[in-house]
Amino acid sequence: MVFSYKSDLVLKVNTILIVLAISSKVTGYKNSSPIMETIYWCKFEVFGRVQGVFFRKYTEKQANILGVRGWCKNTKEGTVKGELEGPLGPLNEMKHWLQAEGSPHSKIEKVIFSQNMESENYRFNGFSIRD
């Protein structure tokens, strides 16, 4: 009986340890510190009616909602240029927003994006509008 009791206890402890190990992999934690997501960045330029329609202000707002960092500015050519950086999911959502949404009174004709590049660290502290 003593052997059976110890075996049951060992089995329960092993089961608990296995469950903890699996759940730490599923939630993305290792030794109580989160695994860092890869950061990507790209440049963009938006063409169309994007000046005088609060496009930069709405871009800043959307970037902050998605947690994307970077900047944007008006150009002399009547476009809006900038850079975006963040995890791939939010970055792609922001790119889609720039192509399909924009500010309420904007008329987006096309958007050119550079290739997504990986970065080891963030280069910006948030999203800003540049002059």
Side-chain angles (χ1 to χ4, degrees):
M1 287 296 245
V2 173
F3 178 75
S4 175
Y5 172 77
K6 287 183 180 180
S7 294
D8 287 347
L9 183 60
V10 168
L11 181 62
K12 287 178 182 177
V13 169
N14 283 338
T15 303
I16 290 170
L17 291 174
I18 290 170
V19 168
L20 288 173
I22 291 171
S23 64
S24 69
K25 288 180 183 178
V26 169
T27 59
Y29 287 89
K30 182 177 181 180
N31 297 331
S32 301
S33 64
I35 295 173
M36 296 298 296
E37 287 187 81
T38 303
I39 302 164
Y40 295 89
W41 68 273
C42 71
K43 294 181 180 183
F44 69 89
E45 186 168 11
V46 185
F47 296 81
R49 187 175 64 185
V50 293
Q51 291 190 10
V53 291
F54 298 98
F55 193 88
R56 294 174 300 152
K57 193 70 171 167
Y58 276 85
T59 300
E60 178 184 42
K61 180 180 177 182
Q62 186 65 23
N64 286 328
I65 288 169
L66 295 173
V68 173
R69 301 179 186 191
W71 59 271
C72 66
K73 71 176 186 175
N74 284 339
T75 68
K76 293 178 184 177
E77 295 78 23
T79 65
V80 172
K81 282 186 175 182
E83 292 186 47
L84 305 170
E85 69 177 0
L88 193 56
L91 183 75
N92 284 336
E93 285 184 57
M94 187 68 200
K95 289 168 74 172
H96 175 76
W97 184 90
L98 287 168
Q99 290 177 306
E101 301 289 327
S103 65
H105 296 291
S106 65
K107 185 173 190 289
I108 301 162
E109 293 175 6
K110 71 176 179 177
V111 184
I112 297 174
F113 295 102
S114 69
Q115 183 177 353
N116 287 345
M117 304 294 291
E118 284 189 36
S119 179
E120 290 186 19
N121 299 306
Y122 281 104
R123 299 171 302 138
F124 305 104
N125 292 325
F127 195 92
S128 64
I129 297 172
R130 295 185 176 175
D131 294 327

